[in-house]
Amino acid sequence: MRSLRSGLPLAALVTCLVTLLTAPPAHAADPPLRDLAAAKGKVIGTAVTGSKLTGTYGDIAGAQFNSLTPGNAMKWGSVEPTRGSFNWAEADQIVNFAEAHGQQVRGHTLVWHSQNPSWLTNGTWTASQLSQLMNDHIALEVGRYKGRLAAWDVVNEAFNEDGTYRPTLWYNGLGSGYIAQALTAARAADPAAKLYINDYNVEGVNAKSTALYNLVKSLKAQGVPIDGVGLQAHLIVGQVPSTLQQNIQRFADLGVDVAVTELDIRMTLPSDSTKLAQQAADYKAVMNACVAVTRCAGVTVWGFTDSDSWIPSTFPGQGAATPYDENYAPKPAYHAIAEALGGSGGGGGPSTDGCTAAYAVTSQWNTGFTGQVTISCSGGTLSSWRAAWTFGAGQQVTQAWNATCTQSGAAVSCSNASYNGTVPDGGSVTFGFNGSWSGSNPLPAVELG
Ligand code: G2I
């Protein structure tokens, strides 16, 4: 915690300073998740949207995770919207960002029933044409990133809930052999990438995961190149399957890696501290299951911030499914992930080394006051910031400028506006707010994150 105080009266200031200097921080700051994960030989990844990889989003994606999965950018519909006309811009951007930040990339996904271009889904194809289309697509896309991707979700969501094959373009046209064919084509295009089959609702032991298990067993027996199984893990708060670790272990025992590839844990909105605590316990349970099995390569979250999650639009009334809130503040789930990876549960924000925040009351009247926070850097810089504090006497922010402020109970969180996220070395940024008070208006300690 780095804080400074200023304001009146002087006696209160001195008292607060003493309190600040003696109060232990709530969490000792942990190293980033990626360092904790690396020390355990695990991957901690996130799905990302290429256009958002700047500012706070980019800072956190780069600093906290050692693996990125393009959330949509590598899907067939994204890369070849018109037959023979390709758009690799977002996929390339994500791969370049990952390499610049020393991160792995998980390619997602080559053969799926969804997010295909309409020219493909609306076409009428013979089996041999379909086979050629699939082989060519895999050769082109996997070949483009040859040697640069750690893994590919080669086949996605091949099964129905009852364990029968899903009737897709591929299954209907080519039969179940399309899976072996896709894996073989991917291996030929990039022998170094780990080749996965990925699905949802296969986290616990059930009919669907058992069908997947039997498929992997038979592919291994036939010598088809299959390196791993992806458990998507789009879960609901309080409903982590009790057989998760057992299920991971049974796949590992077949001689393949396992990865949790799309973890999110949704809740009915609005979130509250009870739901967030349960969610943290659920994130920890998933992490623990992966940490416990040597062949579990790691866990990827399907978006790290609630502002970049597919849940609210697909499940109206639900959300808050990721480890960071919409303002990029780490939630209890973030700290739970850190703890499962051996940390003490602190940290989570971008580095604020060399920068401090000073809170001042600049004017005060019978029921209201104007406050100001100045963020100054000396020996450090910020490209985005968040200043947070807890009011001690029921004060309430009513209006803010030069920052976006939210208050929940006594806790206030203010993030930079679009135009003042940068604080250069030797520079400062100030934002202000009006608030209400009664009785007393003590100065809070400001934490910078
Ligand atoms: O549906 C959740 C995931 C289930 N497993 C496979 C994943 O690939 C899938 O990801 C989601 C993306 O996170 C969403 O972002 O796949 C959805 C499509 O099935 C993606 O949603 C689409 C929207 O439906 C489109 O309207 C939108 O244009 O995202 C597109 C890009 O933002």
Side-chain angles (χ1 to χ4, degrees), residues 71-72 75 108 112 114-115 156-157 232 234 262 302 310:
N72 288 296
K75 291 169 181 173
H108 175 83
W112 192 23
S114 182
Q115 287 183 287
N156 198 33
E157 301 173 3
Q232 292 186 8
H234 295 292
E262 305 184 14
W302 204 243
W310 68 296

Side-chain angles (χ1 to χ4, degrees), residues 144-226:
R144 180 180 182 85
Y145 298 107
K146 182 181 179 181
R148 299 173 72 189
L149 265 53
W152 270 106
D153 291 328
V154 177
V155 174
N156 198 33
E157 301 173 3
F159 289 100
N160 293 316
E161 298 305 292
D162 66 0
T164 56
Y165 283 108
R166 185 192 285 266
T168 67
L169 174 71
W170 309 110
Y171 180 79
N172 294 343
L174 302 173
S176 62
Y178 84 88
I179 296 172
Q181 184 183 327
L183 289 160
T184 304
R187 178 69 94 229
D190 185 352
K194 299 277 190 196
L195 305 181
Y196 277 69
I197 302 184
N198 193 48
D199 216 325
Y200 64 88
N201 288 350
V202 292
E203 294 74 32
V205 174
N206 57 35
K208 192 175 186 179
S209 66
T210 298
L212 180 57
Y213 176 87
N214 289 332
L215 170 66
V216 171
K217 192 175 181 181
S218 120
L219 292 172
K220 290 288 284 185
Q222 295 167 65
V224 174
I226 171 77

Side-chain angles (χ1 to χ4, degrees), residues 21-344:
L21 292 171
T22 54
H27 295 283
D30 271 326
L33 297 181
R34 61 182 289 174
D35 295 354
L36 295 169
K40 290 214 175 286
K42 299 288 177 187
V43 166
I44 183 77
T46 181
V48 290
T49 303
S51 59
K52 298 184 179 174
L53 284 169
T54 61
T56 308
Y57 185 100
D59 289 346
I60 295 174
Q64 295 287 334
F65 299 94
N66 57 17
S67 176
L68 300 183
T69 303
N72 288 296
M74 289 186 173
K75 291 169 181 173
W76 200 332
S78 300
V79 301
E80 195 182 4
T82 305
R83 191 170 187 190
S85 143
F86 297 91
N87 181 358
W88 301 106
E90 189 190 351
D92 286 354
Q93 182 202 354
I94 292 169
V95 174
N96 290 336
F97 180 99
E99 289 176 347
H101 291 81
Q103 297 168 303
Q104 294 186 2
V105 177
R106 204 182 161 83
H108 175 83
T109 178
L110 296 167
V111 181
W112 192 23
H113 64 273
S114 182
Q115 287 183 287
N116 285 318
S118 52
W119 63 263
L120 177 64
T121 47
N122 295 340
T124 307
W125 314 104
T126 64
S128 88
Q129 286 172 322
L130 257 190
S131 175
Q132 190 71 48
L133 281 163
M134 189 178 81
N135 283 346
D136 289 350
H137 171 65
I138 293 172
L140 186 75
E141 181 153 8
V142 177
R144 180 180 182 85
Y145 298 107
K146 182 181 179 181
R148 299 173 72 189
L149 265 53
W152 270 106
D153 291 328
V154 177
V155 174
N156 198 33
E157 301 173 3
F159 289 100
N160 293 316
E161 298 305 292
D162 66 0
T164 56
Y165 283 108
R166 185 192 285 266
T168 67
L169 174 71
W170 309 110
Y171 180 79
N172 294 343
L174 302 173
S176 62
Y178 84 88
I179 296 172
Q181 184 183 327
L183 289 160
T184 304
R187 178 69 94 229
D190 185 352
K194 299 277 190 196
L195 305 181
Y196 277 69
I197 302 184
N198 193 48
D199 216 325
Y200 64 88
N201 288 350
V202 292
E203 294 74 32
V205 174
N206 57 35
K208 192 175 186 179
S209 66
T210 298
L212 180 57
Y213 176 87
N214 289 332
L215 170 66
V216 171
K217 192 175 181 181
S218 120
L219 292 172
K220 290 288 284 185
Q222 295 167 65
V224 174
I226 171 77
D227 301 310
V229 168
L231 314 179
Q232 292 186 8
H234 295 292
L235 303 178
I236 297 170
V237 158
Q239 297 183 29
V240 177
S242 58
T243 50
L244 175 60
Q245 186 180 323
Q246 177 195 340
N247 192 42
I248 294 174
Q249 188 67 58
R250 74 169 171 158
F251 280 107
D253 292 344
L254 286 179
V256 292
D257 293 340
V258 179
V260 175
T261 52
E262 305 184 14
L263 178 62
D264 49 28
I265 307 183
R266 62 187 182 267
M267 62 182 69
T268 301
L269 297 172
S271 69
D272 60 31
S273 57
T274 308
K275 294 179 200 171
L276 291 172
Q278 180 64 52
Q279 182 185 52
D282 294 341
Y283 266 92
K284 193 182 251 179
V286 174
M287 296 302 303
N288 285 344
C290 183
V291 168
V293 180
T294 309
R295 285 205 80 141
C296 184
V299 174
T300 288
V301 294
W302 204 243
F304 63 87
T305 159
D306 292 338
S307 67
D308 186 41
S309 167
W310 68 296
I311 296 291
S313 61
T314 305
F315 301 97
Q318 298 188 52
T322 78
Y324 285 81
D325 74 12
E326 298 191 344
N327 297 314
Y328 303 116
K331 292 157 59 178
Y334 171 90
H335 301 298
I337 295 171
E339 283 172 21
L341 291 171
S344 63

